[in-house]
Amino acid sequence: MTVDLTAPVVTATSTRRRQEWPFYLSAAVIVLAVIAAVLAPLVAPYSPSQTDFAALWQPPSATHWLGTDQLGRDILSRVIHGARPSLLGAIALLAVATVLGVLIGITAAWKGGWVDTALSRITDVMFAFPGLLFVVLVIAVFDRGQVTSVLGMALAYAPAIAKFTRSIALEEMARPYVDAYRLQGVGGAVLCGKYLLPNLLPTLVGYLVVLFGEGLMSLASLNFLGFGSQPPSSEWGLMVQEGRTGVIQGIVGPALIPGLTIAIVVVATNVVGVRLSDKLAVRK
Amino acid sequence: MSVLAVDKLGKTFPGRRGQQPVVAARDISFLVEAGGSLGVVGESGSGKTTVARMLVGLTSPDQGKVMVEGRETSKPERGRAARLRRAREIQMVFQDPYTSLDRRLSVESCLRDVLNRHRPELAKAQAAAEIGNLLDQVGLASKLTASRPHELSGGQRQRVAIARALAVRPRVLVLDEAVSALDVSVQAKILTLLNELRAALGIALVFVSHDLAVVGEVTDRILVMYRGDDVEQNATAELLRRPRHPYTQMLLSSAPGPGWQPERVAELRAAFALTEGRS
Ligand SMILES: Nc1ncnc2c1ncn2[C@@H]1O[C@H](COP(=O)(O)OP(=O)(O)OP(=O)(O)O)[C@@H](O)[C@H]1O
Ligand SMILES: [Mg+2]
């Protein structure tokens, strides 16, 4: 570890603290979302599907902290239960896209030559396609639903991850320690998987956390459009779309609250992602 | 028989758009005996690194070939066994000590990784002893075994890189500007070390540098390159005493170019006396 002895210690820590509160707040938001996803049945006051036709479109009150929707369901409970499909969807989307993207990106960088050219052309073309088009294609071939929308979106996200991985892999491969491994007789697959990839991970993780927020939003939009999760799921995008009918009558809560939830979680993951990349980059 | 035989190596890089192709090496030939050493000198861009990389097979030559103990090394090997055998023929130490080590691995895990691959017959305790030997050989304190590259100085890293190459037990060791990034006293220590290793292990050295004073200390033969050409090749003492080619004379007198300066030599000799006196 190196310590900069010339830096004025007091100002350094005080400015640092001022810059860090958004990070801690965002981390807290993410922890809360994860707790909601894992422990929904324990922490939610009501069942997400429990209807109450005597209490439709209720404003926030002591019994329903965030009010009720068009079927009299408790919005707070639905948002809490919605964390699971919303977060799991984004995680699955990112997992599939990352495996695909990293595989393509590292292969292109490592093999070079025509393999690189071919893979780069394919990802460029996919990159230029609007993501929604993939999903519509996948849904046209299969059927609407959470699995197809996640897979379709994963196809849309993979090219960006592939491009990013390729560029950081090329940069890393210019370091002679990679040549040293080659000279030791390490084969390409082992070199990429055991030595190159772990050295890319710090950079990759920060990028993926930022992408997570984007993925969450993309999936929510799909669900809003009716391509993904279907009722009675309380996935957040779907909640916004179901709450829409209230907006016409001047009741904004049922659409606004899940919408805000999405926005807050997305911003939080962005802040954490950017912070994480900075921190990990410094350690290099 | 020579351990390393290099025959008419040539490499031309295609020029970037609108520019002439670059002839980085042309008709480079030389022999190195076991325990012998060859210096490759020349100013920046003369093709030294290109030759070094062709020797170990990282760059494929357009012409010519490189033989280590009668086997060609300038082509990539297929299959794990062949790759491992190749590794034991020839190893290289790279110019930049700051990027030539894997930043994730401590000194110990770096060396253990090589031993696991190349000497799997060693039991855990034997491997640990061997790591101790290697660190000893390159003059690294054993308290540094747990350090990761960012905790080491340039000279320490270069020693780790040399130990990593030695762990494979190669017949030939190529060093590309291995001491250029280090200050003079560290340079002298590493040069002494290389001379010792050469004598003790019978390794053939190819020592690449733009600095004639440094090369003169570790080699018994010198090849002078200029724009990819072999302009002069001779026994070190002879070449330093009676340079025939004007370019070599220029390097030696070294008005504008890099290389031989009387103060520099005096400085090195003093540093040498210091390290030798200490050990
Ligand atoms: N991969 C490459 N592609 C294109 N040109 C290259 C490549 N590698 C080297 N060259 C060119 O070949 C010539 C010789 O380069 P090389 O790196 O071998 O010189 P060098 O003697 O090692 O120089 P230095 O002392 O600066 O390290 C230079 O003109 C360089 O620009
Ligand atoms: Mg060079």
Side-chain angles (χ1 to χ4, degrees), chain B residues 84-103:
Chain B
L84 293 183
R85 194 198 58 221
R86 158 72 57 79
R88 286 174 213 134
E89 289 165 353
I90 192 159
Q91 284 292 311
M92 176 164 171
V93 175
F94 298 88
Q95 176 164 2
D96 179 10
Y98 291 90
T99 52
S100 63
L101 298 177
D102 187 336
R103 56 179 167 276

Side-chain angles (χ1 to χ4, degrees), chain A residues 82-96:
Chain A
R84 195 177 293 180
S86 303
L87 298 186
L88 276 185
I91 289 171
L93 150 64
L94 216 58
V96 175

Side-chain angles (χ1 to χ4, degrees), chain B residues 204-236:
Chain B
L205 288 187
V206 175
F207 191 91
V208 173
S209 176
H210 62 272
D211 191 335
L212 254 178
V214 165
V215 172
E217 295 292 346
V218 263
T219 61
D220 34 50
R221 211 177 157 73
I222 292 180
L223 157 68
V224 181
M225 288 187 73
Y226 177 64
R227 293 205 181 162
D229 277 319
D230 167 359
V231 295
E232 179 164 5
Q233 199 180 130
N234 209 341
T236 301

